[in-house]
Amino acid sequence: MRRRTTAQALAQRSRIVLECAEGHSIMEVSRRLRVAPDTVRTWRRRFLEHGLDGLSDESRPGVPRKITDADVERVIVKTLEEAPKNATHWSTRSMAAATGMSQSAVSRIWRAFALAPHRTQTFKLSTDPLFIDKVRDAVGLYLDPPEKALVLCVDEKSQIQALDRSQPVLPMMPGVPERRSHDYVRAGTTTLFAALEVATGKVIGSLHRRHRAVEFKKFLARLDKEVPADLGVHLILDNYATHKTPEVKKWLLAHPRFHLHFTPTSSSWLNLVERWFAELTQKKLGRGVHRSVQALERDIRAWLTDWNEHPRPFIWTKTADEILDKVAAYCHRISDSGH
């Protein structure tokens, strides 16, 4: 009766039993607990006949079950193994029409078995023959960086558009979200070269109007200038063609402290700077309005400066073995993967 988690109805019945056990009459218990005398008689009798079990509610009669296990199985099999005649996936209405059940019944079955035909996800498996070696190389730099060296994640966010909405943006109001027109006027594009320091989260950035090996070489020269001369530089970057041109290779030969570590093909998720690009897009670019490329570049530089005042590193937690085991398990799940 004193337990806080006890339901109030059960606690009330327990009080009735305890009051009766102390020798009080039914009318006296009814007056003390402010309940009807018939209520006291009912629970007193139930306790005498069945003990503590008598204080629980009895199972109540209801409508007999109409959907059998066979019906449930039929819906699940049809959902997983068949497709409707005139569509690529089932809806609750089309499945209800095909099985003769109600839409709400189909919806309950799908929820119970976590089926969502309207949802879809994409995936991409790398076909890089050196996938395993490159994963171990990059993850090793994240989890166990070399001494007297700086690990930088490098990439380019190309074709950043300076967009001006065709109509003024309407500000947020109580009960009304910010509203903007879906069409826009494009004023031009720019490219952001960025190098994320894995240890501290600091970012070295450079903006260029074009995206060529010449600009990448200029960015490497800037990194060489900003990183202390006594530190080695390990760059994690993707397989874009501008990273492997003869000019870039010649520059790297002249600067032996730079070491390039390429991520596997179609595996940009392995580069931590992509996560930083996502922050930039979500917090600055996605809803920004810029009437010129110059205004866009000013905003990006200001956001970069603000980030570096309070840098926040992204912590890599997965080991290479965990990643490879997960990829292997996924390959076993899909048929004809060729891996």
Side-chain angles (χ1 to χ4, degrees), residues 12-40:
Q12 179 74 290
R13 297 162 192 173
S14 301
R15 293 188 190 98
I16 292 173
V17 170
L18 292 176
E19 289 285 342
C20 292
E22 291 178 2
H24 300 299
S25 66
I26 291 176
M27 298 304 297
E28 188 174 357
V29 173
S30 171
R31 180 179 54 80
R32 289 165 66 96
L33 299 182
R34 296 181 180 180
V35 295
D38 287 341
T39 302
V40 177

Side-chain angles (χ1 to χ4, degrees), residues 18 167 247-248 299:
L18 292 176
Q167 301 292 333
E247 291 183 5
V248 172
D299 270 1

Side-chain angles (χ1 to χ4, degrees), residues 267-283:
S267 299
S268 59
W269 51 267
L270 201 56
N271 196 335
L272 275 178
V273 75
E274 298 291 349
R275 182 64 189 85
W276 184 81
F277 283 149
E279 287 284 302
L280 172 63
T281 301
Q282 180 183 3
K283 296 182 178 179

Side-chain angles (χ1 to χ4, degrees), residues 160-162 189-192 206-210 284-285 290 292-304:
I160 305 175
Q161 301 184 76
T189 62
T190 188
T191 295
L192 172 63
S206 180
L207 287 164
H208 298 275
R209 297 296 174 86
R210 302 186 68 178
K284 193 64 181 178
L285 302 178
H290 304 95
S292 67
V293 177
Q294 291 82 359
L296 171 64
E297 292 178 341
R298 281 196 302 269
D299 270 1
I300 293 175
R301 290 191 182 98
W303 197 85
L304 182 58

